[in-house]
Amino acid sequence: MGKPLHVLWQKPSDAGTFGGGSWVNGGGLSLDNLKSQDVMELGRSVDRTEASTWWFIDFGRLVPLSMFAILNHNGSTVARRRHVVSNQADGSSPVYDTGFELMWTSTEVWGSRPFGAFPFSGIDATAYPGGTVDLHVAPSTVYGRYLFTYVSDPTNAAGYFQVGRAMAGEAWVHRFKYGITIKPVDPSETRRTRGGKRLVRKRPGFRTASITFEAMSETDAYATGFEIERQLGKSGDFLLVYDPEDDPAVRFRRTIYAALTDTVGITTTSLRRYGWGITAEELI
C-alpha cells in the first residue's frame, strides 16, 4: 500500500456565511465567490492592507476541520496567511491557530536545472499546475464554529489581494494501492495541411488522476467511497492531495482540485473487505 491520500470532499465552508475584511461588492468580485466551484470567479479586496485582506466563515454549528485550502490567489512570494478556529464570533479564545505562514513553498525540483537557471527563492509560479495553492493540514482534527483567515501581503504589486476558492473541512485519509496515475492532459487539436504542415489549435491543459483502493473497511467503502460518488457525482468538487508531507517541490504537482469523470462503484474483494477507485479530472 502507498502513502495516505487526503481528500477534502465534505466542505462545511461552502454552506457557511462569509464576512469580514473589505471586499469589492460589484463587478463579480465579491467575497461570496470564494464558495464558487469556478476558481476564476474571484473575490478581491479593496486594497492590500491587513485590515482589508481577511475574512471569517460562520459554519452555523460546531464542525470538524483538518484541511484548509486557498486556491488561485495572487499573493506575492512573501505573502503570509493565518487560520484561526474559534467558537467565539469575535475570534477570541481560539481552539486552533496556525500563526502566520508563508503562502508559497519552493517549487523547484533540486538538480533539475543548472545553478543560476532557477530562481534563488526556489519559487517558480509556473510550477503550480492548477494555479497558486495555499494548503494547511492540521496535525489532528479540530472543532469550531468560526474560521478566521488573515492575509499579510503589504507589498503586493497588484495593490489588492484576490482569491478564487476557499475550502475548509475534515479530509478523508486513506492509503492507496501503488500505481496511482497523475497525468497532464493536452486537449489541443492538431491537424496537417495538404502540404504536410502541422497546425495546432492550442487549448488549456489540465490533469487527471486515477487511484485504486484495496482492502477497504466497510466504513471507508460505504460511508466515504460510496457517498463521494452518490453525493458529488460528476458535478461536485473536491481537493485531492497525494501527500501533504511531500517534498515541497512536488507537493502541488500532485495536488488537484478536481471532479469525478465517472463513478466506479464498490467491489467486494474478500470477507468484509472492499475495493474502490477515483477517476477524476482537474477543474481549471
Side-chain angles (χ1 to χ4, degrees):
M1 299 293 282
K3 296 180 178 181
L5 187 82
H6 289 60
V7 181
L8 179 57
W9 70 281
Q10 289 183 315
K11 307 174 293 295
S13 51
D14 284 358
T17 301
F18 280 68
S22 296
W23 300 82
V24 177
N25 290 320
L29 295 169
S30 72
L31 188 61
D32 273 342
N33 284 344
L34 275 62
K35 296 193 286 186
S36 170
Q37 188 180 108
D38 185 352
V39 295
M40 300 307 293
E41 290 186 1
L42 303 166
R44 179 180 294 175
S45 64
V46 297
D47 56 46
R48 61 189 181 187
T49 64
E50 293 184 14
S52 299
T53 54
W54 70 278
W55 66 87
F56 71 83
I57 306 173
D58 179 359
F59 300 111
R61 58 185 177 84
L62 203 70
V63 299
L65 303 165
S66 67
M67 183 178 286
F68 311 82
I70 299 174
L71 310 183
N72 194 28
H73 66 81
N74 77 327
S76 71
T77 56
V78 296
R80 297 182 303 150
R81 175 269 312 138
R82 176 187 179 195
H83 292 303
V84 175
V85 179
S86 174
N87 290 314
Q88 307 300 321
D90 61 359
S92 61
S93 303
V95 296
Y96 185 67
D97 188 341
T98 66
F100 276 104
E101 300 175 318
L102 287 171
M103 300 186 73
W104 288 79
T105 63
S106 173
T107 58
E108 279 290 330
V109 179
W110 182 255
S112 62
R113 289 196 281 174
F115 182 80
F118 57 86
F120 283 99
S121 67
I123 297 172
D124 179 357
T126 62
Y128 279 68
T132 47
V133 180
D134 171 55
L135 179 68
H136 178 85
V137 179
S140 59
T141 300
V142 297
Y143 294 82
R145 172 169 173 172
Y146 301 94
L147 171 62
F148 293 79
T149 300
Y150 305 94
V151 175
S152 177
D153 194 14
T155 61
N156 191 311
Y160 52 79
F161 179 77
Q162 68 182 23
V163 56
R165 187 82 164 97
M167 308 165 68
E170 184 179 28
W172 175 66
V173 182
H174 198 281
R175 294 188 178 275
F176 54 86
K177 178 184 176 182
Y178 279 119
I180 180 173
T181 300
I182 295 179
K183 175 185 175 183
V185 176
D186 185 353
S188 301
E189 298 176 1
T190 63
R191 67 181 181 88
R192 290 190 179 273
T193 65
R194 293 178 62 184
K197 181 179 179 180
R198 186 173 184 266
L199 301 177
V200 179
R201 185 178 183 183
K202 182 67 176 175
R203 292 186 176 177
F206 57 93
R207 291 168 294 163
T208 61
S210 178
I211 307 158
T212 300
F213 302 96
E214 291 184 336
M216 297 177 73
S217 68
E218 190 172 62
T219 299
D220 278 327
Y222 283 99
T224 302
F226 184 85
E227 288 303 314
I228 286 176
E229 294 190 341
R230 186 184 71 84
Q231 294 183 34
L232 298 187
K234 294 182 179 180
S235 62
D237 62 328
F238 56 90
L239 185 66
L240 186 154
V241 183
Y242 182 92
D243 180 5
E245 296 184 1
D246 258 341
D247 184 279
V250 299
R251 182 180 304 146
F252 294 108
R253 290 178 171 90
R254 300 197 289 197
T255 295
I256 304 179
Y257 177 53
L260 296 176
T261 57
D262 202 356
T263 53
V264 176
I266 309 298
T267 301
T268 302
T269 57
S270 63
L271 182 63
R272 302 187 72 81
R273 283 293 179 263
Y274 306 89
W276 178 58
I278 292 176
T279 58
E281 63 183 3
E282 184 176 20
L283 298 172
I284 58 174

